[in-house]
Amino acid sequence: MGAGLLSGTLPAFGQEHESGDENGRLTRGDAAVLRFLAAAELIETDLWQQYNELAGVNGGSQPYIDKLAKLDADMSQYITDNTDDEMSHAAFLNGYLVSKGEEPVNLDKFRTLPSSKATGAQQIGRLTNLMQLTVDTSWWTRYRSKKNPDFGATFPQAIPSLHVGKHPAIPRTDADLGPSDHIQAIANTAGFHFAFIEQGGSSLYTTVAQKMSSLEALRIVVSIGGTEVAHFQTWHDKAGNIVPLTDPNDSSLVFPDLNAPPFGGEKFQTNLIMPEPCEFINKNLPACSIIRPTATRGVALGAFQAFFDDGLFIGQSRGFFAEILNLAYAADKATRTV
């Protein structure tokens, strides 16, 4: 996917500063990483705003709110708080870049995707598509495993049918508000998607922190990254409360009881939301409970690929892909300088 889009769009590295200077300029690498993170936060803000409009504390879709409340009574507040956090991250990162003489990231020209037509959704252009998702649920089994993807381990899907096909995580129109199990299936999809998004942010920030050269830039990355981990922990807990059912409008979408056979045991148990200790750094060292993966190779492109595979960008333009891939490529080229 990236080869053709990247052709001719890479930054002219020779025209950029190689290292920070006495006036507080960022190194080329630090600027590239922070710009990619700003883009990622703009994308996250866009998708969380869609969830917030329909199911936040002032959300406009009461049946959707009621079904999300089956996962936790405080879901509306959590959705609104998560949205506020991502908005603050995007605004801060862009503000910081400007303060250092760098260009901020602006994706407004790519806000072209349609909104949900359900009651409560604003009719504005979007960066992301929440109505055709293919959700990777392997994060659930990854965090219950003693294995680490940094060593090449792979993990089964917790909800196999959610990782096949294209499923809405928000009501597309008010017609999606019934029957009862259908809108519950949409809420279940959202519950697993919330955690998918935030576990990705947890790994992304933990990984790119290893690339930062200035202590101030490092401080920014680890400080924002900590809130991503807090988000993931919250949504991980709520995902375990999905309602077991088969979507009456799509019989291929099945949400199993994750605590019942054949799903029982530590591989799926819903109250095991603390990361299981796993191999880390060297397989000969003791197992350690960590965020994973955190190996740095290709992390930005990997994050973009995960969003792409998720279906978040269905309908987006070639120009959007070129813009994000360009930012990701530059971030992945960054190396720590001392």
Side-chain angles (χ1 to χ4, degrees):
M1 176 183 68
L5 292 174
L6 283 169
S7 178
T9 66
L10 300 184
F13 286 114
Q15 297 177 11
E16 300 181 33
H17 47 284
E18 291 291 337
S19 61
D21 59 30
E22 66 277 6
N23 295 319
R25 293 293 299 275
L26 294 169
T27 65
R28 180 185 66 189
D30 283 1
V33 169
L34 293 177
R35 294 191 82 243
F36 178 75
L37 292 177
E41 294 292 351
L42 288 169
I43 289 167
E44 281 195 88
T45 294
D46 181 82
L47 68 90
W48 278 109
Q49 285 177 324
Q50 295 179 68
Y51 283 127
N52 191 47
E53 289 168 17
L54 291 166
V57 292
N58 295 311
S61 181
Q62 193 61 50
Y64 183 50
I65 292 170
D66 292 343
K67 295 304 184 182
L68 281 167
K70 298 286 187 181
L71 281 62
D72 191 284
D74 293 322
M75 288 292 271
S76 287
Q77 186 63 61
Y78 295 154
I79 288 169
T80 294
D81 287 351
N82 207 137
T83 305
D84 290 345
D85 287 354
E86 307 303 356
M87 292 174 66
S88 76
H89 294 166
F92 178 86
L93 288 166
N94 265 337
Y96 183 77
L97 286 164
V98 170
S99 78
K100 296 295 183 179
E102 301 288 343
E103 286 292 318
V105 178
N106 188 331
L107 301 178
D108 286 349
K109 64 183 177 181
F110 302 116
R111 297 184 185 278
T112 59
L113 300 185
S115 296
S116 162
K117 298 300 188 293
T119 300
Q122 295 186 64
Q123 296 308 301
I124 58 176
R126 311 288 186 175
L127 294 174
T128 58
N129 184 341
L130 296 179
M131 294 177 280
Q132 295 173 275
L133 296 181
T134 304
V135 184
D136 184 350
T137 62
S138 64
W139 59 267
W140 182 271
T141 50
R142 184 197 327 150
Y143 275 99
R144 285 159 176 74
S145 172
K146 299 182 185 298
K147 298 295 184 180
N148 188 335
D150 288 333
F151 290 91
T154 58
F155 307 91
Q157 298 290 325
I159 313 291
S161 60
L162 199 52
H163 194 232
V164 179
K166 298 175 182 179
H167 310 287
I170 55 175
R172 295 161 292 191
T173 68
D174 286 346
D176 272 333
L177 301 180
S180 178
D181 278 357
H182 176 59
I183 186 60
Q184 186 65 64
I186 292 174
N188 284 356
T189 299
F192 256 84
H193 191 243
F194 296 163
F196 164 77
I197 292 295
E198 299 303 322
Q199 61 82 29
S202 298
S203 286
L204 177 62
Y205 274 90
T206 302
T207 301
V208 298
Q210 300 167 65
K211 295 173 170 283
M212 309 313 291
S213 297
S214 86
L215 286 176
E216 187 169 75
L218 176 62
R219 179 184 177 188
I220 290 169
V221 172
V222 298
S223 297
I224 294 178
T227 66
E228 299 288 338
V229 175
H231 295 162
F232 172 48
Q233 183 76 348
T234 298
W235 298 124
H236 190 169
D237 185 37
K238 306 317 166 195
N241 297 328
I242 60 166
V243 179
L245 55 82
T246 297
D247 185 348
N249 288 17
D250 178 5
S251 60
S252 68
L253 181 57
V254 179
F255 292 92
D257 182 345
L258 295 173
N259 290 309
F263 296 98
E266 287 200 353
K267 183 179 283 188
F268 290 93
Q269 191 174 325
T270 58
N271 61 357
L272 294 177
I273 64 168
M274 308 297 179
E276 188 74 13
C278 69
E279 53 199 9
F280 184 46
I281 304 297
N282 187 306
K283 290 186 177 182
N284 295 322
L285 293 171
C288 185
S289 178
I290 58 164
I291 292 295
R292 67 255 199 187
T294 58
T296 59
R297 184 176 180 181
V299 60
L301 284 169
F304 173 74
Q305 185 69 52
F307 278 1
F308 179 86
D309 293 342
D310 184 47
L312 278 177
F313 303 138
I314 290 175
Q316 265 294 358
S317 66
R318 180 181 175 88
F320 172 82
F321 292 125
E323 179 89 6
I324 303 300
L325 283 167
N326 191 36
L327 291 168
Y329 181 85
D332 280 338
K333 291 286 288 184
T335 56
R336 176 170 169 75
T337 60
V338 180

